[in-house]
Amino acid sequence: VQLQASGGGLVQAGGSLRLSCAVSGSTFSINAIGWYRQAPGKQRELVATISNTGSTIYEDSVKGRFTISRGGAKNTVYLQMNSLKPEDTAVYYCNAHASDSKSIYDYWGQGTQVTVSS
């Protein structure tokens, strides 16, 4: 499984960005795709995730501001980020959680920088 993240950038507080995660490879084993972020000096944290059934989970601080969704072919996952705050500044990573009869796997994209200026 390969993941290619894009869409980061610099935006003023209150602005919007949309991140994209293009997923390829053995996607049949994927159970959920999510976005994580890591700010300088902090641990990586879950931002949002969407399962194969469409169920979503959001970190409390982004509820009502961020929306995770899948593309028409379900091979692209988007994170629409509105009302951005300086504390949203981080490197954002997309993640695919997969499993088979033998084990579970986590795949990561390369990360995309989001910087929100005050």
Side-chain angles (χ1 to χ4, degrees):
V1 175
Q2 296 82 42
L3 300 101
Q4 180 71 40
S6 62
L10 173 64
V11 65
Q12 288 188 332
S16 298
L17 283 173
R18 189 177 80 159
L19 306 183
S20 299
C21 178
V23 185
S24 61
S26 301
T27 59
F28 63 89
S29 63
I30 295 174
N31 302 311
I33 296 176
W35 286 95
Y36 289 71
R37 66 187 178 186
Q38 187 166 19
K42 295 188 177 181
Q43 291 187 331
R44 190 172 297 188
E45 64 175 0
L46 173 68
V47 177
T49 185
I50 185 166
S51 73
N52 282 345
T53 62
S55 297
T56 57
I57 296 173
Y58 294 93
E59 193 271 327
D60 284 346
S61 71
V62 308
K63 287 179 181 178
R65 300 189 298 122
F66 291 10
T67 303
I68 190 169
S69 62
R70 305 183 78 131
K74 296 186 178 180
N75 288 336
T76 302
V77 173
Y78 303 100
L79 184 68
Q80 178 65 44
M81 305 185 295
N82 298 327
S83 301
L84 282 160
K85 303 176 180 180
E87 51 263 44
D88 294 318
T89 295
V91 178
Y92 284 68
Y93 299 90
C94 60
N95 162 271
H97 185 75
S99 64
D100 60 21
S101 60
K102 299 179 181 179
S103 188
I104 57 175
Y105 310 90
D106 276 297
Y107 301 94
W108 295 92
Q110 83 283 11
T112 184
Q113 177 71 47
V114 171
T115 303
V116 185
S117 63
S118 57

